[in-house]
Amino acid sequence: MRRHYFPCICCIPLTFDTMNRKRENASRPHHTSAKPDFGGGKRQRPTYRRKPLLPRPVAPVNVQPAAAANAEDKGVQLNKYLSNAGIAARRKCEEFIAEGLVTVNNKVIKEPGYRVQKNDSVKYKGEKVTYGKKVYILLNKPKFHITTTEDDRGRKTVMELISEASTERLFPVGRLDRNTTGLLLFTNDGDLAQRLTHPSKKVQKVYEVTLNKKLELDDMEKIAKGIVLEDGLAIVDEIAYANDKEKNVVGIELHIGKNRIVRRIFEHLGYTVIKLDRVLYAGLTKKNLPRGEWRELTEREVITLKHLG
């Protein structure tokens, strides 16, 4: 069976002019001295050495970059240190510092920007603060639990619901009212909590609102355009009836985090919120999470949260 191959470039026919020139050269006598000696009568491929365009830099041994060394020498800001240790969100930690509840090497420090060094001993309310592994817990909050780490009046707190979730010190990210139900995130990751609660990140939150009466279409349009409250304009991303039959149940999506913002929006128009349930937070849902129960976030969910904004 005959096989066909594509010719290489050296087999491509020469032009007529080139062929004539080669015939003329073939008739001329050759000088043996002009023939190159390839050694042993066998043609060898010449070797070439490429010189590097630039000399390769030699990395110093056991020497840290100046910037990294300087950053390590400066230490960590006290409010960030406490937040990353799971005491509370960074802003709340600043309040604890201002109240004189934090000591460094047995000395009260009231400056949030104080730099904590590697071997410093930091205490909060007399207890030593230590770093631990990062934990992320999602709770479907029931009613009658306040969103705080402790309460002087003896009321039920959300911390009681997740007491068995981890041995690490956790704190809630943001807050829900005592009578508000739904999704609430807990962690000891201060940097993540800071990003999720910062207004610039515009973290998505969706609530299901049950009102004492039917929501009029005109009022819904007013809410969609923005309601001016005592602390400024309240802007929502979307609002709609939950279904066509129950006009007193609506879904509202927003990213602002002002105190009691959903209740105040409807109260401003003469409505009373009977039930308020947060059904979505930062892409997390209540799927397979009964009221009062909690679960750990998956690795994929944690990665998604850290890339928000």
Side-chain angles (χ1 to χ4, degrees):
M1 182 176 179
R2 180 177 299 176
R3 297 183 180 179
H4 298 277
Y5 298 92
F6 287 100
C8 63
I9 192 170
C10 61
C11 300
I12 297 176
L14 302 175
T15 61
F16 289 106
D17 182 62
T18 306
M19 294 174 64
N20 294 332
R21 193 178 303 116
K22 292 178 72 65
R23 291 193 191 99
E24 294 176 359
N25 294 336
S27 61
R28 296 175 182 174
H30 295 280
H31 299 282
T32 56
S33 60
K35 293 182 180 181
D37 183 11
F38 294 113
K42 295 182 180 179
R43 183 170 181 177
Q44 298 179 351
R45 180 177 296 176
T47 57
Y48 301 92
R49 290 185 178 181
R50 292 181 57 187
K51 294 183 179 180
L53 298 179
L54 293 174
R56 295 182 180 180
V58 179
V61 180
N62 297 329
V63 177
Q64 290 184 337
N70 293 337
E72 186 175 349
D73 292 342
K74 290 181 180 179
V76 182
Q77 288 186 352
L78 183 57
N79 58 343
K80 183 177 181 179
Y81 184 95
L82 294 173
S83 180
N84 288 342
I87 300 300
R90 196 178 303 181
R91 294 180 182 177
K92 192 66 177 178
C93 289
E94 293 179 0
E95 298 178 10
F96 296 154
I97 295 171
E99 294 172 4
L101 303 178
V102 182
T103 63
V104 179
N105 299 328
N106 297 322
K107 180 180 178 181
V108 176
I109 302 296
K110 293 188 176 183
E111 301 175 5
Y114 179 89
R115 296 282 180 171
V116 179
Q117 303 302 317
K118 183 177 181 179
N119 296 323
D120 286 345
S121 175
V122 181
K123 294 182 180 181
Y124 167 67
K125 292 185 177 180
E127 296 184 7
K128 188 173 181 179
V129 178
T130 57
Y131 279 99
K133 69 175 184 178
K134 302 303 180 184
V135 180
Y136 308 89
I137 300 296
L138 184 65
L139 170 72
N140 188 351
K141 176 187 174 298
K143 293 179 67 175
F144 310 125
H145 287 75
I146 61 174
T147 306
T148 183
T149 54
E150 56 187 15
D151 182 58
D152 297 335
R153 297 164 58 182
R155 294 174 295 178
K156 295 180 180 180
T157 71
V158 292
M159 303 307 298
E160 299 173 11
L161 300 172
I162 63 163
S163 59
E164 299 180 359
S166 174
T167 56
E168 302 294 335
R169 187 194 297 266
L170 305 179
F171 59 87
V173 179
R175 60 188 304 115
L176 291 176
D177 296 337
R178 182 171 180 266
N179 294 323
T180 300
T181 61
L183 297 176
L184 186 62
L185 182 65
F186 296 79
T187 186
N188 58 348
D189 189 339
D191 289 337
L192 177 63
Q194 177 76 7
R195 289 197 297 270
L196 292 178
T197 55
H198 198 280
S200 64
K201 300 305 179 183
K202 298 183 178 180
V203 174
Q204 180 189 31
K205 290 166 281 189
V206 178
Y207 295 85
E208 184 178 274
V209 189
T210 302
L211 304 173
N212 62 328
K213 57 183 178 180
K214 171 185 173 181
L215 177 64
E216 299 295 335
L217 186 59
D218 291 343
D219 290 335
M220 180 182 289
E221 292 177 352
K222 292 178 182 178
I223 296 174
K225 293 179 181 179
I227 299 293
V228 179
L229 303 177
E230 61 273 12
D231 56 351
L233 182 64
I235 300 176
V236 304
D237 300 321
E238 189 174 349
I239 184 171
Y241 293 116
N243 55 65
D244 295 333
K245 296 181 179 179
E246 299 178 356
K247 300 293 185 180
N248 67 320
V249 182
V250 297
I252 183 170
E253 177 183 340
L254 70 169
H255 62 266
I256 53 178
K258 297 180 180 179
N259 187 34
R260 298 183 69 253
I261 185 62
V262 176
R263 295 183 184 274
R264 290 193 291 127
I265 287 175
F266 290 99
E267 290 172 357
H268 183 79
L269 298 175
Y271 297 88
T272 300
V273 176
I274 303 300
K275 181 181 178 182
L276 182 60
D277 185 33
R278 184 154 74 181
V279 298
L280 185 146
Y281 177 75
L284 303 171
T285 69
K286 299 192 301 178
K287 183 179 180 181
N288 300 326
L289 188 62
R291 187 85 70 211
E293 299 294 327
W294 58 266
R295 69 171 178 85
E296 293 186 19
L297 295 190
T298 65
E299 182 179 357
R300 182 179 295 274
E301 288 173 331
V302 174
I303 293 174
T304 300
L305 288 179
K306 291 185 176 182
H307 285 82
L308 285 177

